[in-house]
């Protein structure tokens, strides 16, 4: 799936999962610009992840949005931390 995900590209994945991720980011960050930045960071982070993702699911995007928004609210930085393999399950 990873190979197909990279071939299908950012926009296809963003169109499928972006609305869910953006709603989650808006709810957590309460700022439209930050929510849009965080949503894009979620998609990019999942696409660039070294972890073998066999199947994409909404839960993965929802959880990653929560993590990135939490980091943004704590650190004031958007998606700059690296994740360990045990940070989330795929």
């Amino acid at each position: 799936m990873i190979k197909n995900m990279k071939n299908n590209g950012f926009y296809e994945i963003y169109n499928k999962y972006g609305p869910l991720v953006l709603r989650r980011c808006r709810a957590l960050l309460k700022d439209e610009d930050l929510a849009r930045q965080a949503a894009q960071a979620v998609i990019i982070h999942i696409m660039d992840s070294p972890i073998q993702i066999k199947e994409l699911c909404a839960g993965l995007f929802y959880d990653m949005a929560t993590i990135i928004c939490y980091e943004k609210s704590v650190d004031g930085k958007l998606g700059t931390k690296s994740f360990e393999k045990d940070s989330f399950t795929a």
Side-chain angles (χ1 to χ4, degrees), residues 22-73:
L22 186 56
R23 279 191 306 270
R24 181 65 176 156
C25 293
R26 283 176 178 151
L28 295 172
L29 294 173
K30 310 283 191 242
D31 180 284
E32 183 67 23
D33 290 334
L34 291 177
R36 288 183 179 276
Q37 291 173 17
Q40 189 173 17
V42 168
I43 305 295
I44 291 169
H45 185 79
I46 290 174
M47 287 184 70
D48 289 344
S49 176
I51 299 169
Q52 290 296 320
I53 301 170
K54 297 188 191 287
E55 231 176 274
L56 294 177
C57 65
L60 173 65
F61 287 87
Y62 186 89
D63 290 348
M64 186 59 63
T66 302
I67 291 167
I68 287 179
C69 290
Y70 174 76
E71 286 182 353
K72 173 62 181 159
S73 66

